[in-house]
Amino acid sequence: MKILVPVKRVIDYNVKPRVKADGTGVDLANVKMSMNPFDEIAVEEAIRLREKGAATEIIAISIGVAKAQETLRTALAMGCDRAILIQTDDEVEPLGVAKLLAKVVEEEQPGLIILGKQAIDDDSNQTGQMLAALLGRPQGTFASKVEVDGDSVSVTREVDGGLETVKLSLPAIVTTDLRLNEPRYASLPNIMKAKSKPLAQKTPADFGVDITPRLETLNVVEPPKRSAGIKVADVDELVTKLKAMGVAA
C-alpha cells in the first residue's frame, strides 16, 4: 500500500511572527521556516505503519515555493521514499490544495493519505475534509491513534466529549492530532541519503487546476498587547478591586 503525506512549509513554531509595516501580511523575510508540526506527525505515523508492514511506499508532497524542497528533503530524511513538489509562488487556499492533491491521488492511487489536521500559519483545518469530499473517501480527523487491519483502518479521534473510534474502509484519509506520536529526528546519514532520493517537480498547470484565490486579505494586524498586571496585598483588596471592575457581586 502506498501512503501519501502532504507537508507544508511554515514559519517555525518557535518564531514569533511579525506583521508587515503596510499590514498586507506576515513578514517572511529572513525568518526560519520548517515543516508544519502536524505534518511532521503525519510523516512519522506513515513511517511507523511501513515499519509494521502495513505500507510499502511513502510519498511526500508539498505545494508552494521552490524553497519547499527543503521541507520535502526533511521528510525524505525522516524516511519517506520519494517526493513531489507542485511549485507555485502564489498563495494557495485550502480548496486549491485539496484539488491539486486530488489530482495527485488519481495518478498515484495511494491506499492511505495522512496529513496534519491544520497548518499553524492559517489554522484553516479544511484541507483534509475537502480532499475527502472531492474524492468521496472516508475520513478520520483529529487522529490520536491509527491502526491498519487488512482493507480497513481504525482511527481513534479526539472529540469534545473524549475519544471516538471509527473504522474506515481503505482507501481513506486521516488527519493527525498532536497526541498521535512523537516525530523522530533525522539522522545525519539519512539526511545525506535524502539528497539522492527522487523529488519530482510539477506546477498547478500540469494538473489543469485553477488556484486563483477566492478570498482577499484586507488587512493584517498584531493582537493588542496585554496590559501589565497588578499585585494586591490581601484578599480584601482583591475583592474590592474586582467589585470596582464589576467582576464580583
Side-chain angles (χ1 to χ4, degrees):
M1 177 178 71
K2 288 183 185 178
I3 298 180
L4 183 70
V5 186
V7 298
K8 187 177 183 181
R9 179 177 182 263
V10 298
I11 295 178
D12 189 90
Y13 69 93
N14 288 311
V15 175
K16 181 181 178 181
R18 302 188 309 270
V19 174
K20 293 180 180 178
D22 59 3
T24 58
V26 176
D27 187 3
L28 301 180
N30 301 316
V31 175
K32 181 182 178 183
M33 308 291 284
S34 61
M35 187 188 302
N36 179 46
F38 290 102
D39 297 339
E40 280 188 309
I41 294 170
V43 172
E44 174 65 26
E45 192 63 23
I47 295 169
R48 293 188 184 190
L49 289 174
R50 187 183 60 192
E51 291 172 344
K52 293 176 182 177
T56 55
E57 185 181 26
I58 303 171
I59 308 165
I61 180 171
S62 190
I63 301 167
V65 298
K67 288 185 177 181
Q69 291 183 55
E70 300 169 6
T71 305
L72 288 171
R73 291 295 179 193
T74 300
L76 293 172
M78 289 176 67
C80 293
D81 298 295
R82 58 188 175 94
I84 302 170
L85 172 62
I86 302 178
Q87 185 174 332
T88 176
D89 292 330
D90 299 326
E91 183 178 350
V92 186
E93 294 174 352
L95 181 58
V97 173
K99 287 180 177 180
L100 287 169
L101 291 177
K103 293 293 185 179
V104 174
V105 169
E106 290 177 6
E107 290 186 358
E108 297 289 348
Q109 292 297 313
L112 188 61
I113 304 165
I114 307 179
L115 65 161
K117 69 171 185 176
Q118 65 194 75
I120 63 172
D121 54 359
D122 58 13
D123 278 333
S124 292
N125 187 9
Q126 295 176 343
T127 302
Q129 294 89 326
M130 288 179 170
L131 180 59
L134 290 173
L135 295 173
R137 293 188 178 185
Q139 60 179 308
T141 55
F142 319 132
S144 60
K145 186 177 181 181
V146 177
E147 294 179 312
V148 175
D149 182 16
D151 59 355
S152 65
V153 56
S154 294
V155 177
T156 301
R157 54 191 304 269
E158 300 190 354
V159 296
D160 291 340
L163 299 176
E164 176 186 63
T165 300
V166 294
K167 187 174 183 180
L168 314 174
S169 299
L170 294 175
I173 295 167
V174 173
T175 70
T176 62
D177 212 336
L178 284 174
R179 280 160 287 279
L180 179 57
N181 61 51
E182 183 71 28
R184 68 192 67 189
Y185 289 101
S187 64
L188 182 58
N190 286 339
I191 292 173
M192 300 304 293
K193 291 178 183 177
K195 294 180 180 180
S196 60
K197 289 185 177 180
L199 195 162
Q201 296 188 45
K202 297 181 179 293
T203 66
D206 294 334
F207 298 99
V209 174
D210 180 12
I211 59 170
T212 303
R214 295 165 178 252
L215 302 176
E216 179 186 357
T217 300
L218 300 179
N219 192 31
V220 179
V221 296
E222 293 187 3
K225 293 183 179 180
R226 294 179 60 182
S227 58
I230 58 174
K231 292 183 179 181
V232 295
D234 50 39
V235 175
D236 291 337
E237 184 182 354
L238 173 61
V239 172
T240 300
K241 289 187 176 296
L242 290 175
K243 285 183 176 179
M245 296 168 58
V247 175

